[in-house]
Amino acid sequence: MSTHMADTTAGTEKTMTTKITAAAAVLALSALALTGCVVENVPAGAQDPKPPATSTPSAAPTKSETPAEEDTSESIEDGGQDESKGETVDMGVEAGQVQYVRAIQNFSPTLERWLLDEEAGEVTYSIINCLGQPEAEGVATLEPAEGGEGTAYDATWIGKSPIESVAAKSVRLEITDDTLTNFSDVATSRTEIEVGNFSRMCVDAGETAADIVF
């Protein structure tokens, strides 16, 4: 009887073990079907395997946000041609003023200008180059000269003399409606004619003649 009971007990334990194993197999297959992962049998007492290290995907390199280079080139009008224009010289006169000019044919032409202001009793002197820029400027007071018969004046500079060839503090000028004479140099009140001569001198010398406004 004891032998029969032992056999019965052993059979029962074997049946239970078989059922547990089958149940574990079913669970493993179910997990595989659901997750797609392979379940490995780990021996009892063994350390749980560490999950493989996964590298964090690096952020995709962003495009360099460098601002577009500013276009510093100036737009060129008139068919894309860069036409250099001379500077503008204002040679207008006010009431009570008279100007006298003289074109001087130097290696680089210049225009001598005397601006007479009878009311103020002054004369302004300037030398202008082909670009319309003053190379010398000065102001002198005017006083009638003795024995000049009303046409001779003493021009006394306020400061240094602007005339390179004349360093004197004052110069004598002969002034009429048409001309202003400084020694042998004669400037004329026919402004437009003399300025036209000056412009042609600049062109002949290969220099850009400024646009002059009266």
Side-chain angles (χ1 to χ4, degrees):
M1 181 176 179
S2 58
T3 301
H4 177 72
M5 289 181 64
D7 291 340
T8 302
T9 301
T12 302
E13 289 178 355
K14 185 176 180 180
T15 302
M16 291 179 64
T17 300
T18 301
K19 288 181 178 181
I20 291 172
T21 302
V26 170
L27 290 175
L29 289 174
S30 298
L32 177 61
L34 292 174
T35 64
C37 300
V38 177
V39 180
E40 296 182 0
N41 291 327
V42 180
Q47 187 178 0
D48 293 339
K50 294 182 179 179
T54 57
S55 59
T56 304
S58 58
T62 58
K63 220 175 185 181
S64 175
E65 298 181 357
T66 305
E69 295 182 1
E70 184 180 355
D71 185 8
T72 57
S73 60
E74 297 181 357
S75 59
I76 300 175
E77 298 179 356
D78 300 333
Q81 298 297 324
D82 183 12
E83 298 180 0
S84 299
K85 295 183 179 181
E87 297 182 15
T88 300
V89 178
D90 185 2
M91 294 186 65
V93 296
E94 298 178 0
Q97 294 179 336
V98 181
Q99 69 177 343
Y100 303 84
V101 295
R102 180 172 72 98
I104 305 173
Q105 181 68 77
N106 293 329
F107 176 77
S108 179
T110 54
L111 183 69
E112 183 181 54
R113 182 193 189 205
W114 298 85
L115 182 61
L116 175 64
D117 189 332
E118 293 179 322
E119 184 177 347
E122 292 181 346
V123 61
T124 302
Y125 174 86
S126 57
I127 283 286
I128 302 169
N129 62 23
C130 288
L131 293 177
Q133 301 168 339
E135 295 183 351
E137 289 183 313
V139 178
T141 58
L142 286 177
E143 293 291 341
E146 294 181 2
E149 299 180 357
T151 59
Y153 295 85
D154 288 327
T156 303
W157 299 111
I158 301 174
K160 185 180 177 181
S161 171
I163 305 177
E164 295 181 1
S165 59
V166 180
K169 184 67 177 176
S170 64
V171 292
R172 176 165 287 202
L173 304 175
E174 292 285 341
I175 303 175
T176 67
D177 291 340
D178 298 325
T179 61
L180 182 149
T181 304
N182 173 35
F183 293 103
S184 61
D185 299 330
V186 181
T188 177
S189 60
R190 296 176 300 173
T191 305
E192 294 186 9
I193 295 175
E194 200 66 11
V195 168
N197 294 335
F198 169 64
S199 297
R200 283 189 291 273
M201 290 178 185
C202 291
V203 173
D204 292 342
E207 300 188 29
T208 301
D211 296 328
I212 296 178
V213 178
F214 297 98

